[in-house]
């Protein structure tokens, strides 16, 4: 329980798209809190997914294509940040386990 409380600030910060991941990484650089590391990997995955989908979808000028991307990323982000706030380490649906595997070197 103490590990969760110590890493909660970095975990929540990691979900601030873009810059929050890097801030959380620097906050977790010395102590390597496993709870914070879990959420940093999840936040990094969401950020990279958002950027990748945005680059692909920006080629199409259609709300029918871009709206579902925004909704999907918003749902994943909400799930992740509420999980961090509640002190849970549940992977994000569909892609969370992949993020943990792909970014396992980030701790």
């Amino acid at each position: 329980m103490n590990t969760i409380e110590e890493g909660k600030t970095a975990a929540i910060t990691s979900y601030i798209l873009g810059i929050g991941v890097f801030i959380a990484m620097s906050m977790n650089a010395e102590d390597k809190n496993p709870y914070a590391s879990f959420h940093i990997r999840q936040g990094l995955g969401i950020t990279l997914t958002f950027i990748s989908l945005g680059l692909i979808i920006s080629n199409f000028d259609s709300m029918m294509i871009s709206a579902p991307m925004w909704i999907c990323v918003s749902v994943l982000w909400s799930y992740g940040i509420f999980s961090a706030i509640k002190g849970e380490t549940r992977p994000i649906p569909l892609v969370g386990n992949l993020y943990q595997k792909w970014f396992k070197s980030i701790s």
Side-chain angles (χ1 to χ4, degrees):
M1 184 66 176
N2 198 19
T3 303
I4 292 173
E5 290 305 316
E6 290 172 0
K8 202 173 231 185
T9 304
I12 294 168
T13 303
S14 69
Y15 290 102
I16 300 170
L17 289 178
I19 193 74
V21 173
F22 298 110
I23 293 169
M25 285 176 159
S26 68
M27 291 169 70
N28 198 40
E30 286 182 27
D31 295 336
K32 301 290 188 207
N33 184 296
Y35 177 75
S37 297
F38 174 86
H39 285 287
I40 288 168
R41 290 189 289 271
Q42 297 289 293
L44 178 62
I46 291 173
T47 300
L48 294 177
T49 299
F50 173 71
I51 292 169
S52 302
L53 287 175
L55 288 172
I56 294 167
I57 290 175
S58 67
N59 294 317
F60 306 99
D61 193 22
S62 169
M63 273 308 269
M64 295 287 287
I65 296 172
S66 60
M69 188 243 359
W70 280 98
I71 292 168
C72 178
V73 169
S74 297
V75 167
L76 294 178
W77 176 82
S78 299
Y79 187 91
I81 197 162
F82 284 120
S83 175
I85 291 168
K86 289 196 285 184
E88 300 172 345
T89 55
R90 291 186 305 178
I92 294 167
L94 304 174
V95 290
N97 288 324
L98 292 173
Y99 296 158
Q100 291 302 311
K101 188 169 79 172
W102 293 339
F103 307 126
K104 65 182 169 215
S105 63
I106 297 173
S107 58

